[in-house]
PDB file of all heavy atoms in Angstrom:
ATOM      1  N   ASP A 336      30.688 -49.128   6.160  1.00  0.00           N
ATOM      2  CA  ASP A 336      30.964 -48.063   5.194  1.00  0.00           C
ATOM      3  C   ASP A 336      29.939 -46.943   5.263  1.00  0.00           C
ATOM      4  O   ASP A 336      29.921 -46.057   4.433  1.00  0.00           O
ATOM      5  CB  ASP A 336      31.031 -48.655   3.776  1.00  0.00           C
ATOM      6  CG  ASP A 336      29.795 -49.467   3.440  1.00  0.00           C
ATOM      7  OD1 ASP A 336      28.900 -49.540   4.299  1.00  0.00           O
ATOM      8  OD2 ASP A 336      29.730 -50.013   2.326  1.00  0.00           O
ATOM      9  N   VAL A 337      29.082 -46.969   6.267  1.00  0.00           N
ATOM     10  CA  VAL A 337      28.075 -45.899   6.351  1.00  0.00           C
ATOM     11  C   VAL A 337      28.573 -44.770   7.242  1.00  0.00           C
ATOM     12  O   VAL A 337      29.338 -44.987   8.161  1.00  0.00           O
ATOM     13  CB  VAL A 337      26.737 -46.428   6.920  1.00  0.00           C
ATOM     14  CG1 VAL A 337      25.956 -47.168   5.865  1.00  0.00           C
ATOM     15  CG2 VAL A 337      26.973 -47.285   8.144  1.00  0.00           C
ATOM     16  N   GLU A 338      28.134 -43.553   6.927  1.00  0.00           N
ATOM     17  CA  GLU A 338      28.437 -42.402   7.771  1.00  0.00           C
ATOM     18  C   GLU A 338      27.342 -42.335   8.818  1.00  0.00           C
ATOM     19  O   GLU A 338      26.168 -42.264   8.488  1.00  0.00           O
ATOM     20  CB  GLU A 338      28.411 -41.115   6.931  1.00  0.00           C
ATOM     21  CG  GLU A 338      29.582 -40.965   5.989  1.00  0.00           C
ATOM     22  CD  GLU A 338      30.876 -40.629   6.729  1.00  0.00           C
ATOM     23  OE1 GLU A 338      30.811 -39.902   7.727  1.00  0.00           O
ATOM     24  OE2 GLU A 338      31.943 -41.139   6.306  1.00  0.00           O
ATOM     25  N   GLU A 339      27.716 -42.363  10.073  1.00  0.00           N
ATOM     26  CA  GLU A 339      26.708 -42.280  11.125  1.00  0.00           C
ATOM     27  C   GLU A 339      27.072 -41.147  12.078  1.00  0.00           C
ATOM     28  O   GLU A 339      28.240 -40.944  12.375  1.00  0.00           O
ATOM     29  CB  GLU A 339      26.641 -43.598  11.915  1.00  0.00           C
ATOM     30  CG  GLU A 339      26.143 -44.767  11.095  1.00  0.00           C
ATOM     31  CD  GLU A 339      26.269 -46.110  11.819  1.00  0.00           C
ATOM     32  OE1 GLU A 339      27.249 -46.274  12.589  1.00  0.00           O
ATOM     33  OE2 GLU A 339      25.405 -46.964  11.621  1.00  0.00           O
ATOM     34  N   GLU A 340      26.063 -40.455  12.552  1.00  0.00           N
ATOM     35  CA  GLU A 340      26.285 -39.345  13.485  1.00  0.00           C
ATOM     36  C   GLU A 340      26.880 -39.865  14.801  1.00  0.00           C
ATOM     37  O   GLU A 340      27.796 -39.296  15.358  1.00  0.00           O
ATOM     38  CB  GLU A 340      24.938 -38.661  13.753  1.00  0.00           C
ATOM     39  CG  GLU A 340      25.035 -37.362  14.475  1.00  0.00           C
ATOM     40  CD  GLU A 340      25.106 -36.186  13.497  1.00  0.00           C
ATOM     41  OE1 GLU A 340      24.949 -36.404  12.278  1.00  0.00           O
ATOM     42  OE2 GLU A 340      25.320 -35.086  13.957  1.00  0.00           O
ATOM     43  N   ASN A 341      26.345 -40.987  15.279  1.00  0.00           N
ATOM     44  CA  ASN A 341      26.791 -41.585  16.548  1.00  0.00           C
ATOM     45  C   ASN A 341      27.171 -43.041  16.319  1.00  0.00           C
ATOM     46  O   ASN A 341      26.410 -43.945  16.656  1.00  0.00           O
ATOM     47  CB  ASN A 341      25.664 -41.555  17.594  1.00  0.00           C
ATOM     48  CG  ASN A 341      25.413 -40.165  18.107  1.00  0.00           C
ATOM     49  OD1 ASN A 341      26.338 -39.468  18.495  1.00  0.00           O
ATOM     50  ND2 ASN A 341      24.164 -39.763  18.081  1.00  0.00           N
ATOM     51  N   PRO A 342      28.344 -43.282  15.723  1.00  0.00           N
ATOM     52  CA  PRO A 342      28.673 -44.663  15.326  1.00  0.00           C
ATOM     53  C   PRO A 342      28.688 -45.659  16.485  1.00  0.00           C
ATOM     54  O   PRO A 342      28.429 -46.833  16.289  1.00  0.00           O
ATOM     55  CB  PRO A 342      30.050 -44.539  14.675  1.00  0.00           C
ATOM     56  CG  PRO A 342      30.569 -43.212  15.083  1.00  0.00           C
ATOM     57  CD  PRO A 342      29.403 -42.337  15.366  1.00  0.00           C
ATOM     58  N   ALA A 343      28.950 -45.185  17.718  1.00  0.00           N
ATOM     59  CA  ALA A 343      28.953 -46.127  18.847  1.00  0.00           C
ATOM     60  C   ALA A 343      27.540 -46.651  19.094  1.00  0.00           C
ATOM     61  O   ALA A 343      27.353 -47.702  19.706  1.00  0.00           O
ATOM     62  CB  ALA A 343      29.493 -45.455  20.103  1.00  0.00           C
ATOM     63  N   LEU A 344      26.544 -45.890  18.617  1.00  0.00           N
ATOM     64  CA  LEU A 344      25.150 -46.325  18.782  1.00  0.00           C
ATOM     65  C   LEU A 344      24.572 -46.791  17.448  1.00  0.00           C
ATOM     66  O   LEU A 344      23.363 -46.886  17.276  1.00  0.00           O
ATOM     67  CB  LEU A 344      24.293 -45.165  19.317  1.00  0.00           C
ATOM     68  CG  LEU A 344      24.731 -44.559  20.650  1.00  0.00           C
ATOM     69  CD1 LEU A 344      23.784 -43.429  21.061  1.00  0.00           C
ATOM     70  CD2 LEU A 344      24.760 -45.614  21.746  1.00  0.00           C
ATOM     71  N   GLY A 345      25.443 -47.042  16.512  1.00  0.00           N
ATOM     72  CA  GLY A 345      24.969 -47.371  15.170  1.00  0.00           C
ATOM     73  C   GLY A 345      25.063 -48.844  14.855  1.00  0.00           C
ATOM     74  O   GLY A 345      24.963 -49.706  15.726  1.00  0.00           O
ATOM     75  N   ARG A 346      25.306 -49.099  13.564  1.00  0.00           N
ATOM     76  CA  ARG A 346      25.354 -50.484  13.106  1.00  0.00           C
ATOM     77  C   ARG A 346      26.755 -51.041  13.346  1.00  0.00           C
ATOM     78  O   ARG A 346      27.578 -51.059  12.435  1.00  0.00           O
ATOM     79  CB  ARG A 346      24.989 -50.517  11.628  1.00  0.00           C
ATOM     80  CG  ARG A 346      24.644 -51.914  11.158  1.00  0.00           C
ATOM     81  CD  ARG A 346      24.503 -51.929   9.667  1.00  0.00           C
ATOM     82  NE  ARG A 346      23.151 -51.629   9.213  1.00  0.00           N
ATOM     83  CZ  ARG A 346      22.873 -51.171   7.996  1.00  0.00           C
ATOM     84  NH1 ARG A 346      23.848 -50.938   7.152  1.00  0.00           N
ATOM     85  NH2 ARG A 346      21.631 -50.938   7.639  1.00  0.00           N
ATOM     86  N   ARG A 347      27.049 -51.395  14.561  1.00  0.00           N
ATOM     87  CA  ARG A 347      28.370 -51.931  14.868  1.00  0.00           C
ATOM     88  C   ARG A 347      28.243 -53.348  15.427  1.00  0.00           C
ATOM     89  O   ARG A 347      27.146 -53.824  15.684  1.00  0.00           O
ATOM     90  CB  ARG A 347      29.132 -51.020  15.839  1.00  0.00           C
ATOM     91  CG  ARG A 347      28.478 -50.807  17.179  1.00  0.00           C
ATOM     92  CD  ARG A 347      29.429 -50.166  18.186  1.00  0.00           C
ATOM     93  NE  ARG A 347      30.577 -51.022  18.463  1.00  0.00           N
ATOM     94  CZ  ARG A 347      31.428 -50.833  19.472  1.00  0.00           C
ATOM     95  NH1 ARG A 347      31.260 -49.819  20.292  1.00  0.00           N
ATOM     96  NH2 ARG A 347      32.430 -51.652  19.671  1.00  0.00           N
ATOM     97  N   GLY A 348      29.382 -54.016  15.595  1.00  0.00           N
ATOM     98  CA  GLY A 348      29.387 -55.359  16.185  1.00  0.00           C
ATOM     99  C   GLY A 348      28.487 -56.313  15.427  1.00  0.00           C
ATOM    100  O   GLY A 348      28.497 -56.373  14.194  1.00  0.00           O
ATOM    101  N   ILE A 349      27.682 -57.072  16.160  1.00  0.00           N
ATOM    102  CA  ILE A 349      26.842 -58.103  15.543  1.00  0.00           C
ATOM    103  C   ILE A 349      25.849 -57.492  14.547  1.00  0.00           C
ATOM    104  O   ILE A 349      25.467 -58.117  13.560  1.00  0.00           O
ATOM    105  CB  ILE A 349      26.091 -58.936  16.623  1.00  0.00           C
ATOM    106  CG1 ILE A 349      25.358 -60.135  16.022  1.00  0.00           C
ATOM    107  CG2 ILE A 349      25.125 -58.083  17.412  1.00  0.00           C
ATOM    108  CD1 ILE A 349      26.255 -61.193  15.426  1.00  0.00           C
ATOM    109  N   ARG A 350      25.463 -56.221  14.771  1.00  0.00           N
ATOM    110  CA  ARG A 350      24.510 -55.580  13.850  1.00  0.00           C
ATOM    111  C   ARG A 350      25.122 -55.467  12.446  1.00  0.00           C
ATOM    112  O   ARG A 350      24.453 -55.715  11.442  1.00  0.00           O
ATOM    113  CB  ARG A 350      24.155 -54.179  14.346  1.00  0.00           C
ATOM    114  CG  ARG A 350      23.560 -54.171  15.731  1.00  0.00           C
ATOM    115  CD  ARG A 350      23.451 -52.753  16.283  1.00  0.00           C
ATOM    116  NE  ARG A 350      23.123 -52.789  17.704  1.00  0.00           N
ATOM    117  CZ  ARG A 350      23.029 -51.720  18.482  1.00  0.00           C
ATOM    118  NH1 ARG A 350      23.221 -50.512  17.984  1.00  0.00           N
ATOM    119  NH2 ARG A 350      22.734 -51.833  19.757  1.00  0.00           N
ATOM    120  N   ALA A 351      26.384 -55.059  12.397  1.00  0.00           N
ATOM    121  CA  ALA A 351      27.058 -54.924  11.093  1.00  0.00           C
ATOM    122  C   ALA A 351      27.208 -56.295  10.443  1.00  0.00           C
ATOM    123  O   ALA A 351      27.015 -56.448   9.234  1.00  0.00           O
ATOM    124  CB  ALA A 351      28.431 -54.274  11.279  1.00  0.00           C
ATOM    125  N   LEU A 352      27.526 -57.310  11.250  1.00  0.00           N
ATOM    126  CA  LEU A 352      27.727 -58.656  10.701  1.00  0.00           C
ATOM    127  C   LEU A 352      26.421 -59.249  10.190  1.00  0.00           C
ATOM    128  O   LEU A 352      26.386 -59.934   9.167  1.00  0.00           O
ATOM    129  CB  LEU A 352      28.326 -59.575  11.769  1.00  0.00           C
ATOM    130  CG  LEU A 352      29.778 -59.263  12.157  1.00  0.00           C
ATOM    131  CD1 LEU A 352      30.170 -60.022  13.406  1.00  0.00           C
ATOM    132  CD2 LEU A 352      30.721 -59.598  11.003  1.00  0.00           C
ATOM    133  N   GLN A 353      25.346 -58.970  10.908  1.00  0.00           N
ATOM    134  CA  GLN A 353      24.051 -59.506  10.481  1.00  0.00           C
ATOM    135  C   GLN A 353      23.646 -58.859   9.147  1.00  0.00           C
ATOM    136  O   GLN A 353      23.067 -59.494   8.285  1.00  0.00           O
ATOM    137  CB  GLN A 353      22.999 -59.212  11.563  1.00  0.00           C
ATOM    138  CG  GLN A 353      21.813 -60.151  11.497  1.00  0.00           C
ATOM    139  CD  GLN A 353      20.961 -60.124  12.763  1.00  0.00           C
ATOM    140  OE1 GLN A 353      21.207 -59.357  13.686  1.00  0.00           O
ATOM    141  NE2 GLN A 353      19.939 -60.971  12.784  1.00  0.00           N
ATOM    142  N   HIS A 354      24.047 -57.582   9.004  1.00  0.00           N
ATOM    143  CA  HIS A 354      23.748 -56.859   7.775  1.00  0.00           C
ATOM    144  C   HIS A 354      24.552 -57.404   6.599  1.00  0.00           C
ATOM    145  O   HIS A 354      24.093 -57.385   5.460  1.00  0.00           O
ATOM    146  CB  HIS A 354      24.062 -55.381   8.008  1.00  0.00           C
ATOM    147  CG  HIS A 354      23.756 -54.495   6.846  1.00  0.00           C
ATOM    148  ND1 HIS A 354      22.479 -54.299   6.388  1.00  0.00           N
ATOM    149  CD2 HIS A 354      24.575 -53.778   6.041  1.00  0.00           C
ATOM    150  CE1 HIS A 354      22.518 -53.487   5.344  1.00  0.00           C
ATOM    151  NE2 HIS A 354      23.768 -53.157   5.109  1.00  0.00           N
ATOM    152  N   ARG A 355      25.785 -57.837   6.870  1.00  0.00           N
ATOM    153  CA  ARG A 355      26.655 -58.410   5.826  1.00  0.00           C
ATOM    154  C   ARG A 355      26.931 -59.864   6.183  1.00  0.00           C
ATOM    155  O   ARG A 355      28.064 -60.229   6.510  1.00  0.00           O
ATOM    156  CB  ARG A 355      27.989 -57.655   5.790  1.00  0.00           C
ATOM    157  CG  ARG A 355      27.888 -56.220   5.378  1.00  0.00           C
ATOM    158  CD  ARG A 355      27.976 -56.110   3.858  1.00  0.00           C
ATOM    159  NE  ARG A 355      27.742 -54.760   3.407  1.00  0.00           N
ATOM    160  CZ  ARG A 355      28.661 -53.809   3.341  1.00  0.00           C
ATOM    161  NH1 ARG A 355      29.893 -54.076   3.686  1.00  0.00           N
ATOM    162  NH2 ARG A 355      28.356 -52.611   2.926  1.00  0.00           N
ATOM    163  N   GLU A 356      25.894 -60.673   6.133  1.00  0.00           N
ATOM    164  CA  GLU A 356      25.999 -62.016   6.705  1.00  0.00           C
ATOM    165  C   GLU A 356      27.086 -62.865   6.064  1.00  0.00           C
ATOM    166  O   GLU A 356      27.685 -63.717   6.721  1.00  0.00           O
ATOM    167  CB  GLU A 356      24.641 -62.722   6.621  1.00  0.00           C
ATOM    168  CG  GLU A 356      24.638 -64.014   7.412  1.00  0.00           C
ATOM    169  CD  GLU A 356      23.298 -64.724   7.368  1.00  0.00           C
ATOM    170  OE1 GLU A 356      22.354 -64.235   8.002  1.00  0.00           O
ATOM    171  OE2 GLU A 356      23.227 -65.772   6.672  1.00  0.00           O
ATOM    172  N   GLN A 357      27.377 -62.622   4.775  1.00  0.00           N
ATOM    173  CA  GLN A 357      28.382 -63.471   4.127  1.00  0.00           C
ATOM    174  C   GLN A 357      29.749 -63.336   4.819  1.00  0.00           C
ATOM    175  O   GLN A 357      30.498 -64.305   4.938  1.00  0.00           O
ATOM    176  CB  GLN A 357      28.486 -63.140   2.630  1.00  0.00           C
ATOM    177  CG  GLN A 357      29.269 -64.183   1.832  1.00  0.00           C
ATOM    178  CD  GLN A 357      28.731 -65.609   2.019  1.00  0.00           C
ATOM    179  OE1 GLN A 357      27.522 -65.843   1.958  1.00  0.00           O
ATOM    180  NE2 GLN A 357      29.617 -66.569   2.298  1.00  0.00           N
ATOM    181  N   ILE A 358      30.053 -62.122   5.271  1.00  0.00           N
ATOM    182  CA  ILE A 358      31.336 -61.905   5.954  1.00  0.00           C
ATOM    183  C   ILE A 358      31.378 -62.724   7.240  1.00  0.00           C
ATOM    184  O   ILE A 358      32.382 -63.364   7.570  1.00  0.00           O
ATOM    185  CB  ILE A 358      31.541 -60.394   6.234  1.00  0.00           C
ATOM    186  CG1 ILE A 358      31.698 -59.647   4.906  1.00  0.00           C
ATOM    187  CG2 ILE A 358      32.759 -60.166   7.139  1.00  0.00           C
ATOM    188  CD1 ILE A 358      31.853 -58.146   5.029  1.00  0.00           C
ATOM    189  N   LEU A 359      30.260 -62.742   7.958  1.00  0.00           N
ATOM    190  CA  LEU A 359      30.183 -63.535   9.192  1.00  0.00           C
ATOM    191  C   LEU A 359      30.282 -65.023   8.876  1.00  0.00           C
ATOM    192  O   LEU A 359      31.007 -65.773   9.539  1.00  0.00           O
ATOM    193  CB  LEU A 359      28.868 -63.209   9.925  1.00  0.00           C
ATOM    194  CG  LEU A 359      28.580 -64.025  11.188  1.00  0.00           C
ATOM    195  CD1 LEU A 359      29.704 -63.872  12.213  1.00  0.00           C
ATOM    196  CD2 LEU A 359      27.249 -63.585  11.814  1.00  0.00           C
ATOM    197  N   ARG A 360      29.565 -65.445   7.831  1.00  0.00           N
ATOM    198  CA  ARG A 360      29.612 -66.865   7.450  1.00  0.00           C
ATOM    199  C   ARG A 360      31.043 -67.285   7.102  1.00  0.00           C
ATOM    200  O   ARG A 360      31.508 -68.340   7.514  1.00  0.00           O
ATOM    201  CB  ARG A 360      28.695 -67.133   6.245  1.00  0.00           C
ATOM    202  CG  ARG A 360      27.231 -67.212   6.607  1.00  0.00           C
ATOM    203  CD  ARG A 360      26.359 -67.477   5.380  1.00  0.00           C
ATOM    204  NE  ARG A 360      24.994 -67.720   5.810  1.00  0.00           N
ATOM    205  CZ  ARG A 360      24.502 -68.920   6.115  1.00  0.00           C
ATOM    206  NH1 ARG A 360      25.249 -70.000   5.975  1.00  0.00           N
ATOM    207  NH2 ARG A 360      23.258 -69.056   6.542  1.00  0.00           N
ATOM    208  N   ASP A 361      31.734 -66.437   6.342  1.00  0.00           N
ATOM    209  CA  ASP A 361      33.119 -66.759   5.961  1.00  0.00           C
ATOM    210  C   ASP A 361      33.998 -66.878   7.208  1.00  0.00           C
ATOM    211  O   ASP A 361      34.829 -67.781   7.314  1.00  0.00           O
ATOM    212  CB  ASP A 361      33.701 -65.670   5.042  1.00  0.00           C
ATOM    213  CG  ASP A 361      33.156 -65.776   3.628  1.00  0.00           C
ATOM    214  OD1 ASP A 361      32.440 -66.761   3.342  1.00  0.00           O
ATOM    215  OD2 ASP A 361      33.419 -64.852   2.832  1.00  0.00           O
ATOM    216  N   GLN A 362      33.806 -65.941   8.126  1.00  0.00           N
ATOM    217  CA  GLN A 362      34.656 -65.974   9.319  1.00  0.00           C
ATOM    218  C   GLN A 362      34.384 -67.234  10.151  1.00  0.00           C
ATOM    219  O   GLN A 362      35.318 -67.903  10.605  1.00  0.00           O
ATOM    220  CB  GLN A 362      34.449 -64.719  10.175  1.00  0.00           C
ATOM    221  CG  GLN A 362      35.449 -64.666  11.316  1.00  0.00           C
ATOM    222  CD  GLN A 362      35.429 -63.377  12.113  1.00  0.00           C
ATOM    223  OE1 GLN A 362      34.420 -62.670  12.151  1.00  0.00           O
ATOM    224  NE2 GLN A 362      36.542 -63.066  12.768  1.00  0.00           N
ATOM    225  N   LEU A 363      33.119 -67.548  10.333  1.00  0.00           N
ATOM    226  CA  LEU A 363      32.779 -68.742  11.127  1.00  0.00           C
ATOM    227  C   LEU A 363      33.279 -70.010  10.426  1.00  0.00           C
ATOM    228  O   LEU A 363      33.761 -70.945  11.071  1.00  0.00           O
ATOM    229  CB  LEU A 363      31.269 -68.802  11.368  1.00  0.00           C
ATOM    230  CG  LEU A 363      30.725 -67.701  12.313  1.00  0.00           C
ATOM    231  CD1 LEU A 363      29.198 -67.679  12.292  1.00  0.00           C
ATOM    232  CD2 LEU A 363      31.235 -67.901  13.737  1.00  0.00           C
ATOM    233  N   THR A 364      33.201 -70.012   9.103  1.00  0.00           N
ATOM    234  CA  THR A 364      33.693 -71.164   8.341  1.00  0.00           C
ATOM    235  C   THR A 364      35.201 -71.322   8.539  1.00  0.00           C
ATOM    236  O   THR A 364      35.705 -72.427   8.776  1.00  0.00           O
ATOM    237  CB  THR A 364      33.374 -70.976   6.840  1.00  0.00           C
ATOM    238  OG1 THR A 364      31.965 -70.805   6.713  1.00  0.00           O
ATOM    239  CG2 THR A 364      33.818 -72.172   6.010  1.00  0.00           C
ATOM    240  N   ALA A 365      35.912 -70.194   8.451  1.00  0.00           N
ATOM    241  CA  ALA A 365      37.364 -70.239   8.639  1.00  0.00           C
ATOM    242  C   ALA A 365      37.702 -70.737  10.043  1.00  0.00           C
ATOM    243  O   ALA A 365      38.629 -71.538  10.231  1.00  0.00           O
ATOM    244  CB  ALA A 365      37.962 -68.848   8.411  1.00  0.00           C
ATOM    245  N   LEU A 366      36.952 -70.283  11.024  1.00  0.00           N
ATOM    246  CA  LEU A 366      37.198 -70.713  12.415  1.00  0.00           C
ATOM    247  C   LEU A 366      36.921 -72.206  12.572  1.00  0.00           C
ATOM    248  O   LEU A 366      37.705 -72.921  13.211  1.00  0.00           O
ATOM    249  CB  LEU A 366      36.309 -69.908  13.375  1.00  0.00           C
ATOM    250  CG  LEU A 366      36.810 -68.476  13.654  1.00  0.00           C
ATOM    251  CD1 LEU A 366      35.699 -67.605  14.233  1.00  0.00           C
ATOM    252  CD2 LEU A 366      38.003 -68.519  14.607  1.00  0.00           C
ATOM    253  N   ALA A 367      35.823 -72.681  11.974  1.00  0.00           N
ATOM    254  CA  ALA A 367      35.495 -74.110  12.096  1.00  0.00           C
ATOM    255  C   ALA A 367      36.575 -74.958  11.433  1.00  0.00           C
ATOM    256  O   ALA A 367      36.978 -76.003  11.958  1.00  0.00           O
ATOM    257  CB  ALA A 367      34.123 -74.377  11.470  1.00  0.00           C
ATOM    258  N   GLN A 368      37.087 -74.489  10.284  1.00  0.00           N
ATOM    259  CA  GLN A 368      38.139 -75.255   9.592  1.00  0.00           C
ATOM    260  C   GLN A 368      39.430 -75.277  10.416  1.00  0.00           C
ATOM    261  O   GLN A 368      40.075 -76.323  10.555  1.00  0.00           O
ATOM    262  CB  GLN A 368      38.409 -74.659   8.214  1.00  0.00           C
ATOM    263  CG  GLN A 368      37.260 -74.910   7.235  1.00  0.00           C
ATOM    264  CD  GLN A 368      37.547 -74.317   5.850  1.00  0.00           C
ATOM    265  OE1 GLN A 368      38.616 -73.774   5.607  1.00  0.00           O
ATOM    266  NE2 GLN A 368      36.573 -74.426   4.945  1.00  0.00           N
ATOM    267  N   ALA A 369      39.787 -74.118  10.978  1.00  0.00           N
ATOM    268  CA  ALA A 369      41.007 -74.056  11.793  1.00  0.00           C
ATOM    269  C   ALA A 369      40.838 -74.943  13.027  1.00  0.00           C
ATOM    270  O   ALA A 369      41.775 -75.630  13.446  1.00  0.00           O
ATOM    271  CB  ALA A 369      41.284 -72.619  12.216  1.00  0.00           C
ATOM    272  N   ASP A 370      39.655 -74.955  13.589  1.00  0.00           N
ATOM    273  CA  ASP A 370      39.360 -75.765  14.774  1.00  0.00           C
ATOM    274  C   ASP A 370      39.542 -77.255  14.454  1.00  0.00           C
ATOM    275  O   ASP A 370      40.129 -78.010  15.237  1.00  0.00           O
ATOM    276  CB  ASP A 370      37.912 -75.478  15.211  1.00  0.00           C
ATOM    277  CG  ASP A 370      37.581 -76.125  16.551  1.00  0.00           C
ATOM    278  OD1 ASP A 370      38.516 -76.341  17.346  1.00  0.00           O
ATOM    279  OD2 ASP A 370      36.390 -76.406  16.795  1.00  0.00           O
ATOM    280  N   ALA A 371      39.058 -77.641  13.273  1.00  0.00           N
ATOM    281  CA  ALA A 371      39.120 -79.058  12.897  1.00  0.00           C
ATOM    282  C   ALA A 371      40.568 -79.541  12.752  1.00  0.00           C
ATOM    283  O   ALA A 371      40.856 -80.715  12.912  1.00  0.00           O
ATOM    284  CB  ALA A 371      38.360 -79.275  11.588  1.00  0.00           C
ATOM    285  N   GLU A 372      41.474 -78.596  12.451  1.00  0.00           N
ATOM    286  CA  GLU A 372      42.876 -78.995  12.224  1.00  0.00           C
ATOM    287  C   GLU A 372      43.760 -78.858  13.460  1.00  0.00           C
ATOM    288  O   GLU A 372      44.960 -79.095  13.404  1.00  0.00           O
ATOM    289  CB  GLU A 372      43.468 -78.112  11.106  1.00  0.00           C
ATOM    290  CG  GLU A 372      42.842 -78.403   9.759  1.00  0.00           C
ATOM    291  CD  GLU A 372      43.303 -77.393   8.698  1.00  0.00           C
ATOM    292  OE1 GLU A 372      44.334 -76.727   8.898  1.00  0.00           O
ATOM    293  OE2 GLU A 372      42.613 -77.291   7.673  1.00  0.00           O
ATOM    294  N   THR A 373      43.173 -78.405  14.582  1.00  0.00           N
ATOM    295  CA  THR A 373      44.004 -78.123  15.766  1.00  0.00           C
ATOM    296  C   THR A 373      43.345 -78.697  17.024  1.00  0.00           C
ATOM    297  O   THR A 373      42.237 -79.228  16.962  1.00  0.00           O
ATOM    298  CB  THR A 373      44.189 -76.594  15.940  1.00  0.00           C
ATOM    299  OG1 THR A 373      42.906 -75.990  15.839  1.00  0.00           O
ATOM    300  CG2 THR A 373      45.116 -76.021  14.902  1.00  0.00           C
ATOM    301  N   ASP A 374      44.064 -78.559  18.157  1.00  0.00           N
ATOM    302  CA  ASP A 374      43.597 -79.226  19.379  1.00  0.00           C
ATOM    303  C   ASP A 374      43.208 -78.296  20.511  1.00  0.00           C
ATOM    304  O   ASP A 374      43.080 -78.724  21.653  1.00  0.00           O
ATOM    305  CB  ASP A 374      44.695 -80.170  19.892  1.00  0.00           C
ATOM    306  CG  ASP A 374      44.986 -81.250  18.863  1.00  0.00           C
ATOM    307  OD1 ASP A 374      44.022 -81.744  18.262  1.00  0.00           O
ATOM    308  OD2 ASP A 374      46.176 -81.552  18.652  1.00  0.00           O
ATOM    309  N   ALA A 375      43.047 -77.012  20.232  1.00  0.00           N
ATOM    310  CA  ALA A 375      42.614 -76.122  21.307  1.00  0.00           C
ATOM    311  C   ALA A 375      41.104 -76.291  21.493  1.00  0.00           C
ATOM    312  O   ALA A 375      40.425 -76.879  20.651  1.00  0.00           O
ATOM    313  CB  ALA A 375      42.955 -74.680  20.964  1.00  0.00           C
ATOM    314  N   ASP A 376      40.606 -75.766  22.620  1.00  0.00           N
ATOM    315  CA  ASP A 376      39.163 -75.821  22.881  1.00  0.00           C
ATOM    316  C   ASP A 376      38.591 -74.478  22.432  1.00  0.00           C
ATOM    317  O   ASP A 376      38.654 -73.490  23.162  1.00  0.00           O
ATOM    318  CB  ASP A 376      38.973 -76.052  24.391  1.00  0.00           C
ATOM    319  CG  ASP A 376      37.508 -76.095  24.780  1.00  0.00           C
ATOM    320  OD1 ASP A 376      36.661 -76.276  23.883  1.00  0.00           O
ATOM    321  OD2 ASP A 376      37.216 -75.947  25.986  1.00  0.00           O
ATOM    322  N   LEU A 377      38.086 -74.435  21.195  1.00  0.00           N
ATOM    323  CA  LEU A 377      37.657 -73.153  20.612  1.00  0.00           C
ATOM    324  C   LEU A 377      36.236 -72.774  21.023  1.00  0.00           C
ATOM    325  O   LEU A 377      35.292 -73.544  20.860  1.00  0.00           O
ATOM    326  CB  LEU A 377      37.735 -73.236  19.073  1.00  0.00           C
ATOM    327  CG  LEU A 377      37.186 -72.024  18.307  1.00  0.00           C
ATOM    328  CD1 LEU A 377      37.971 -70.760  18.621  1.00  0.00           C
ATOM    329  CD2 LEU A 377      37.176 -72.293  16.807  1.00  0.00           C
TER     330      LEU A 377
END
Side-chain angles (χ1 to χ4, degrees):
D336 53 1
V337 281
E338 288 287 325
E339 294 172 326
E340 191 93 7
N341 288 310
L344 302 180
R346 196 189 271 158
R347 60 167 297 193
I349 188 66
R350 302 170 191 176
L352 290 168
Q353 203 164 3
H354 182 65
R355 295 272 174 85
E356 190 179 288
Q357 193 54 46
I358 294 178
L359 176 58
R360 282 180 172 270
D361 284 353
Q362 187 173 24
L363 291 170
T364 303
L366 282 162
Q368 289 181 3
D370 188 26
E372 292 172 19
T373 49
D374 298 320
D376 179 17
L377 174 63

